[in-house]
Amino acid sequence: MVLFSPQAFLKTCNEGVGYFRRKPEDLLSLKSENICFFCQSHVTESSRPGRVGAAAVLEFWVGILTQQNLWYRDKTVLFLMDQICCAAFIHHQEECVQKLLYQQHKNALGYHGDRGLLSSLVGWIAGNATPSFIEGQSLSGEVWFAWLVLNTEAMFEEESQLRRCIENELLSEPSISPDQALKKAQQKLKLPVAPSLQRLQLYRWASQALATPPDHPLLPLIWQKFLQLYLRQPGPEYGLAAGGCIGRRFFQTSSQAALLKDLRQRLQEVSDFHHTASQALRVPPQHTPSSESQEDESPLNPQPLYLTSPQLHSELVRLFGVFALWLDDETLQKQEVYLPCLSPEYEPHRLAQVMQRQQVSDFLINLRMGRKKNEQTDTIS
């Protein structure tokens, strides 16, 4: 039972988080007092045998945090939502949070006749952009939140058949632009509202890959989401001849070509970061206190939430090198390639999985379980 209003709760959170934002060094040293650890410990405790379950608590927190209009513009709410989304990932409850966000997303687009909500969100639409809980193209701070939001928006792109229809248009007419294909797809599907071009998932995942810090655990998964769309070979699905991947068709204009160039450069930067990190026992993330202040591990001073295994860093160097190889290979874009004939450095088996839109994250399983173990150790008693 909530003994105070959501507005009063958020005001209290604002004061607390505002203090931490003014003194970022306290964000790590005062974890027992931090509201985000209270949220995560609530989820952890609820997942124990005989308790209500993590999903119910996640629904509670998401409901509280998203009650106010334009909640996604509130820095405190975003900060807390990021912690909730991290807890959802650790406890394998992403689907629970995504369902709640998906309903809000469809309402904001004007579905279900909910024009009252749409009117209240009129300030959401700026220029030619369509509604999203991520203003702009990406988030560099609240990456867990961005991960779930982009997956939520991807659900709409899939269920509405928008992506498939755009691809079909591009394959059927070699001279058509992505923007023209989007307009034709919206007309054919009779969608009341469709994302603007820059809101298509291919571009959103690309932008998020650029914005995500190199040490964030989700970065490999974010890159895979982009590559799953970029390396698709959809021709046979539509009764057309296989003609290579479709990704380059979305990067024809100068601005889109610049984005692709930035992606190549970012892969090199991330690979360099992990190569350096693989040489050390522990490398602190960017824009955080040095590791000297984090040596003592205890319930009030748990291990940091960044990658610390040299072996894992070495694996990531190899992985991002493979991603760069796939991104640069013109042959994959121009013609159908018999994957078993590729050299081992391409990792053909993993490439086939990505082309089939299967999630390839086996090396992150131990990391995910390790985060869960650390979180349970850190739970406030």
Side-chain angles (χ1 to χ4, degrees), residues 177-190:
S177 69
D179 191 42
Q180 292 170 324
L182 172 60
K183 292 176 181 176
K184 285 193 171 187
Q186 183 177 0
Q187 293 172 355
K188 286 186 176 181
L189 296 171
K190 295 181 170 57

Side-chain angles (χ1 to χ4, degrees), residues 124-138:
W124 198 346
I125 303 178
N128 209 21
T130 41
S132 171
F133 295 124
I134 299 175
E135 295 199 308
Q137 287 294 93
S138 59

Side-chain angles (χ1 to χ4, degrees), residues 102-122 124-125 130-132 156 191-194:
Y102 183 58
Q103 187 59 52
Q104 288 205 29
H105 181 65
K106 290 188 73 174
N107 288 343
L109 287 175
Y111 285 76
H112 310 302
D114 194 347
R115 294 296 172 180
L117 178 60
L118 184 62
S119 298
S120 70
L121 298 178
V122 69
W124 198 346
I125 303 178
T130 41
S132 171
F156 173 81
L191 296 176
V193 179

Side-chain angles (χ1 to χ4, degrees), residues 183-338:
K183 292 176 181 176
K184 285 193 171 187
Q186 183 177 0
Q187 293 172 355
K188 286 186 176 181
L189 296 171
K190 295 181 170 57
L191 296 176
V193 179
S196 51
L197 184 65
Q198 64 267 36
R199 295 291 195 190
L200 293 181
Q201 287 298 295
L202 182 70
Y203 301 122
R204 300 301 299 280
W205 286 116
S207 297
Q208 190 58 49
L210 292 175
T212 300
D215 61 327
H216 199 286
L218 285 178
L219 184 59
L221 301 183
I222 290 169
W223 271 99
Q224 286 180 49
K225 287 288 186 179
F226 165 71
L227 290 168
Q228 283 171 356
L229 296 171
Y230 185 78
L231 296 175
R232 268 181 50 75
Q233 295 182 318
E237 294 180 23
Y238 309 115
L240 301 172
C245 302
I246 197 170
R248 286 292 174 88
R249 291 294 303 276
F250 289 90
F251 292 89
Q252 300 300 315
T253 68
S254 57
S255 61
Q256 293 163 352
L259 175 59
L260 199 58
K261 182 179 179 181
D262 290 341
L263 288 167
R264 292 194 184 95
Q265 181 178 346
R266 185 59 175 169
L267 277 173
Q268 184 60 55
E269 292 171 353
V270 172
S271 182
D272 291 344
F273 170 87
H274 287 291
H275 176 72
T276 300
S278 69
Q279 308 302 309
L281 177 62
R282 180 175 302 165
V283 176
Q286 297 174 337
H287 312 304
T288 59
S290 62
S291 59
E292 284 81 358
S293 63
Q294 301 166 2
E295 289 297 327
D296 297 328
E297 182 177 8
S298 69
L300 299 185
N301 188 26
Q303 288 296 301
L305 297 181
Y306 53 87
L307 305 172
T308 56
S309 165
Q311 293 77 17
L312 183 56
H313 284 296
S314 296
E315 170 68 12
L316 289 169
V317 172
R318 186 186 60 78
L319 179 69
F320 288 115
V322 172
F323 287 172
L325 194 62
W326 296 347
L327 193 65
D328 281 336
D329 195 318
E330 293 284 345
T331 306
L332 295 175
Q333 296 292 322
K334 293 180 179 178
Q335 64 188 48
E336 184 181 21
V337 176
Y338 184 58

Side-chain angles (χ1 to χ4, degrees), residues 13-24 26-27 30:
C13 292
N14 262 309
E15 293 172 354
V17 174
Y19 172 77
F20 290 120
R21 290 190 182 279
R22 288 193 300 273
K23 295 187 175 183
D26 292 337
L27 190 58
L30 298 178

